[in-house]
């Protein structure tokens, strides 16, 4: 994630210096711990958290070095990973639902933290899990907060309860109470209450939030915190914990470029777990928070589990089996390719997905230069083709390609490059489907590989259709008589003539004379 980018680079570099050493000394460990301390402080992690973290890492790392571990450098990486999981909250905690619906979730936090947008994201996430959430507009203080929640609710496909116009008009406590009755009458099993915030912590804000909590008795109170606000995150979290108390934390704006380390301190300082993380502006940029997966991302160890979960949500299992069958039978077309690209786009940003792979930090420059709009351009080219052209690109002549280029707003060169890449990929897939090893451009041949010759070439038939009329007549006569022909039976004669064993018979010579008109 962008918020922890600098911290990830610093920690990765500090640990990389250990990997080339077979034996670690106390000075090696002290130097590494010193670099880790600087990285955490530069990232705005709370000072007390940094002290506890580095002390635990140093103590455990010295123990691993003294035990003569097989690979002490990897031991240190594992220790840092485990301690980082600890300050992020340890085990993941899920939402706790009420035994008797509706489950009430109250959102609290400062103004600008992203509570209203988060309400829509949470509603959409709950809907995918089979729930029927109700959004409650209890933020009657901020201008147009009610209208914003209605827009977000419409985008998320959730019902919004907004009896008051807001903009300073209405009683938020009464709205929250009435919303509970409305939810029971309309059979909504989850109620999400969007409360008002302020630019800073004040008594009025805390009093209003506390009154709403007493009136609704929520099952979860989620403290929404902006990951970009620096050290104020810890002070704000403590103030809300003392004034309202909360059961969990939600981190927002993790796609920003701030240092964001203070957000790592919240779980450790307050003792409350982080439940969710918001990673972008779209309603789908929302995911449950896994401390172990987040620690792996920060240390550039990858997050394959989250990547798999996103793929399972975006890709249809039946379509995937159908595509696999087409690949096996070499009938994969541009139409199938278009469907696969559209499903890939449903997973979200490709940069984010690639960033979940282990070692992705080493590809930072390539990731930054990657233009995700290239997929949109490719879709435009394929969608400008007719169904027949998508199924059979071989019919694309010059005029057709010019028409496709005009229809997609691209150049003929772009169309040619797309078709060429697809044909190369189709050949490779066909080779793999037949059990061969594809010839990858830019690589030499692999010894022992068949390169697409799934079946052995048929042995050349003995004898050939010669261009010499006399020899062809002799070969035809020999084949009709069931005798082998060809140079190997000719006893070394240039045209297979002569009286040596295997030469032409009297019938062959008669046929030759007849053919020559003799």
């Amino acid at each position: 994630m962008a918020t922890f980018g600098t911290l990830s680079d610093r920690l990765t570099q500090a640990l990389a210096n250990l990997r080339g050493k077979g034996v670690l000394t106390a000075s090696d460990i002290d130097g590494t711990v010193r670099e880790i301390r600087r990285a955490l402080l530069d990232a705005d992690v709370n000072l007390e958290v940094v002290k506890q973290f580095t002390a635990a890492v140093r103590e455990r790392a010295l123990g691993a070095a003294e035990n003569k571990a097989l690979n002490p450098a990897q031991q240190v990486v594992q220790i840092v990973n485990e301690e980082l999981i600890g300050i992020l909250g340890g085990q993941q905690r899920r939402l706790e639902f009420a035994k008797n619906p509706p489950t009430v979730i109250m959102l609290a936090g400062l103004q600008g933290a992203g509570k209203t947008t988060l309400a829509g994201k949470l509603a959409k996430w709950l809907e995918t899990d089979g729930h029927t959430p109700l959004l409650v507009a209890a933020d009657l203080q901020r201008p147009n907060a009610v209208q914003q929640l209605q827009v977000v609710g419409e985008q998320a496909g959730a019902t919004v309860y907004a009896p008051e116009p807001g903009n300073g008009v209405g009683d938020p406590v009464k709205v929250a109470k009435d919303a509970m009755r409305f939810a029971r009458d309309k059979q909504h099993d989850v109620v999400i209450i969007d409360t008002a915030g302020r630019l800073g912590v004040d008594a009025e804000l805390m009093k209003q939030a506390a009154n709403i909590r007493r009136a609704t008795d929520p099952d979860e109170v989620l403290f929404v915190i902006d990951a970009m606000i620096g050290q104020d995150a810890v002070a704000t979290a403590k103030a809300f914990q003392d004034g309202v108390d909360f059961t969990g934390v939600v981190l927002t704006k993790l796609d920003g470029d701030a240092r964001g380390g203070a957000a790592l301190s919240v779980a450790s300082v307050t003792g409350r777990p982080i439940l969710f993380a918001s990673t972008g502006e779209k309603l789908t940029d929302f995911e449950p928070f896994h401390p172990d997966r987040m620690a792996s991302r920060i240390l550039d160890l990858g997050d394959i589990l989250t990547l798999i979960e996103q793929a399972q949500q975006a890709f249809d299992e039946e379509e995937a089996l159908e595509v696999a069958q087409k690949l096996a039978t070499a009938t994969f077309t541009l139409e199938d390719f278009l469907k696969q690209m559209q499903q890939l786009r449903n997973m979200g940003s490709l940069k984010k997905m690639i960033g979940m792979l282990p070692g992705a930090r080493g590809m930072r420059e390539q990731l930054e230069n990657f233009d995700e709009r290239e997929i949109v351009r490719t879709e435009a080219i394929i969608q400008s083709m007719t169904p027949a052209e998508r199924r059979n690109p071989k019919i694309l002549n010059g005029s057709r390609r010019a028409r496709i280029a005009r229809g997609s707003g691209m150049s003929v060169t772009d169309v040619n490059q797309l078709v060429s890449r697809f044909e190369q990929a189709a050949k490779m897939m066909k080779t793999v489907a037949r059990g061969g090893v594809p010839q990858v451009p830019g690589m030499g041949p692999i010894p022992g590989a068949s390169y697409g010759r799934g079946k052995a070439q048929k042995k050349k038939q003995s004898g050939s259709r010669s261009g010499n009329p006399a020899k062809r007549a002799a070969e035809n006569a020999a084949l009709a008589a069931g005798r082998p022909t060809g140079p190997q039976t000719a006893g070394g004669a240039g045209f297979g003539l002569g009286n040596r064993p295997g030469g032409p018979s009297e019938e062959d010579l008669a046929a030759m004379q007849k053919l020559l008109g003799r």
Side-chain angles (χ1 to χ4, degrees):
M1 296 183 180
T3 302
F4 304 125
T6 303
L7 174 62
S8 177
D9 290 340
R10 296 282 298 275
L11 291 178
T12 303
Q13 183 60 38
L15 295 173
N17 295 332
L18 297 177
R19 290 173 182 165
K21 300 181 179 181
V23 178
L24 294 184
T25 64
S27 60
D28 293 331
I29 294 174
D30 288 339
T32 302
V33 171
R34 187 164 48 249
E35 290 298 322
I36 293 174
R37 182 186 297 112
R38 291 174 180 172
L40 294 173
L41 291 175
D42 288 344
D44 257 352
V45 179
N46 182 264
L47 178 60
E48 292 301 321
V49 175
V50 173
K51 288 181 179 179
Q52 296 174 7
F53 179 84
T54 53
V57 169
R58 184 179 185 279
E59 181 180 357
R60 295 183 60 188
L62 286 173
E66 292 175 357
N67 291 335
K68 307 289 185 183
L70 182 62
N71 192 327
Q74 291 184 356
Q75 290 283 333
V76 174
V77 174
Q78 182 178 358
I79 289 169
V80 174
N81 183 47
E82 291 174 355
E83 293 297 328
L84 194 55
I85 293 173
I87 69 172
L88 289 172
Q91 297 293 328
Q92 183 210 16
R93 184 173 81 76
R94 299 176 179 271
L95 277 178
E96 293 184 358
F97 293 93
K99 295 181 180 179
N100 298 318
T103 299
V104 182
I105 302 174
M106 173 182 167
L107 305 181
L110 295 180
Q111 184 173 316
K115 293 190 302 298
T116 302
T117 304
L118 179 73
K121 292 182 177 182
L122 181 58
K124 190 172 184 64
W125 181 79
L126 288 168
E127 283 183 343
T128 60
D129 203 25
H131 296 281
T132 54
L134 172 69
L135 297 178
V136 180
D139 182 0
L140 306 180
Q141 185 68 31
R142 182 170 60 88
N144 298 322
V146 175
Q147 289 78 4
Q148 181 187 357
L149 185 65
Q150 289 173 333
V151 171
V152 171
E154 183 178 357
Q155 293 174 347
T159 304
V160 179
Y161 181 76
E164 299 290 348
N167 298 324
V169 178
D171 182 5
V173 179
K174 183 177 183 302
V175 169
K177 284 183 178 179
D178 295 342
M180 301 299 295
R181 290 193 294 269
F182 180 86
R184 293 188 183 95
D185 293 341
K186 302 298 182 180
Q187 296 184 343
H188 292 278
D189 64 341
V190 180
V191 177
I192 303 173
I193 304 175
D194 179 27
T195 64
R198 300 289 190 279
L199 295 177
V201 177
D202 57 29
E204 183 182 356
L205 167 63
M206 291 301 177
K207 182 180 179 181
Q208 184 183 108
N211 290 337
I212 294 176
R213 175 164 188 167
R214 283 193 294 269
T216 58
D217 190 20
D219 301 280
E220 295 276 12
V221 179
L222 301 184
F223 174 55
V224 183
I225 185 170
D226 185 347
M228 302 174 66
I229 65 174
Q231 283 295 327
D232 286 342
V234 176
T236 304
K238 286 183 176 180
F240 270 89
Q241 188 175 22
D242 296 337
V244 183
D245 199 8
F246 49 86
T247 60
V249 180
V250 180
L251 298 180
T252 61
K253 304 180 184 179
L254 285 180
D255 56 326
D257 56 359
R259 289 175 291 183
L264 301 180
S265 312
V266 174
S268 181
V269 170
T270 63
R272 299 293 187 268
I274 302 174
L275 300 186
F276 297 100
S278 176
T279 59
E281 297 179 357
K282 298 180 180 178
L283 293 182
T284 53
D285 295 334
F286 178 79
E287 60 189 45
F289 187 86
H290 298 265
D292 54 342
R293 300 184 190 182
M294 181 59 68
S296 294
R297 290 194 209 182
I298 293 175
L299 295 179
D300 198 23
L301 301 178
D303 187 1
I304 301 300
L305 290 177
T306 299
L307 189 60
I308 292 173
E309 290 175 357
Q310 292 182 359
Q312 289 175 340
Q313 293 175 0
F315 283 84
D316 183 81
E317 186 175 356
E318 293 183 0
E319 287 189 6
L321 292 175
E322 183 180 350
V323 168
Q325 185 177 4
K326 289 186 176 182
L327 290 176
T329 57
T331 57
F332 190 76
T333 66
L334 282 168
E335 285 184 338
D336 303 315
F337 181 54
L338 178 62
K339 291 180 181 178
Q340 292 299 300
M341 281 199 304
Q342 291 171 341
Q343 288 189 345
L344 189 63
R345 288 184 62 195
N346 291 337
M347 289 181 62
S349 170
L350 285 179
K351 290 184 180 180
K352 290 182 181 178
M353 288 188 288
I354 297 174
M356 294 180 188
L357 298 175
R361 290 287 169 190
M363 302 184 292
R364 168 170 290 184
E365 184 177 351
Q366 293 90 328
L367 287 175
E368 290 177 352
N369 294 332
F370 176 71
D371 186 4
E372 298 197 27
R373 292 176 297 178
E374 192 66 31
I375 297 180
V376 179
R377 301 186 186 104
T378 301
E379 287 183 353
I381 293 175
I382 299 176
Q383 288 172 340
S384 297
M385 298 179 183
T386 64
E389 292 168 344
R390 297 177 195 171
R391 289 190 290 267
N392 184 16
K394 293 182 179 180
I395 67 175
L396 292 175
N397 53 23
S399 60
R400 288 176 182 265
R401 299 186 184 215
R403 189 204 76 239
I404 293 169
R406 290 193 301 270
S408 61
M410 305 297 290
S411 65
V412 177
T413 303
D414 295 325
V415 178
N416 293 339
Q417 289 177 349
L418 171 62
V419 174
S420 176
R421 290 196 301 267
F422 177 77
E423 290 177 347
Q424 289 178 358
K427 288 180 181 178
M428 293 176 64
M429 289 185 289
K430 185 177 181 180
T431 300
V432 172
R434 292 184 174 183
V437 179
Q439 178 70 53
V440 180
M443 293 180 60
I446 301 175
S450 63
Y451 292 106
R453 294 194 299 269
K455 297 180 180 179
Q457 291 182 346
K458 290 184 179 180
K459 189 175 181 180
K460 193 171 182 180
Q461 189 177 14
S462 60
S464 61
R465 297 284 294 176
S466 174
N468 187 314
K471 184 178 179 181
R472 186 166 64 246
E475 291 174 347
N476 291 336
L479 289 172
R483 296 192 304 273
T485 62
Q488 70 275 20
T489 62
F495 290 93
L497 301 176
N499 297 322
R500 297 177 184 178
S505 64
E506 294 181 359
E507 291 85 358
D508 297 337
L509 293 175
M512 292 168 57
Q513 291 176 354
K514 183 177 179 180
L515 178 65
L516 296 175
R518 293 181 181 177

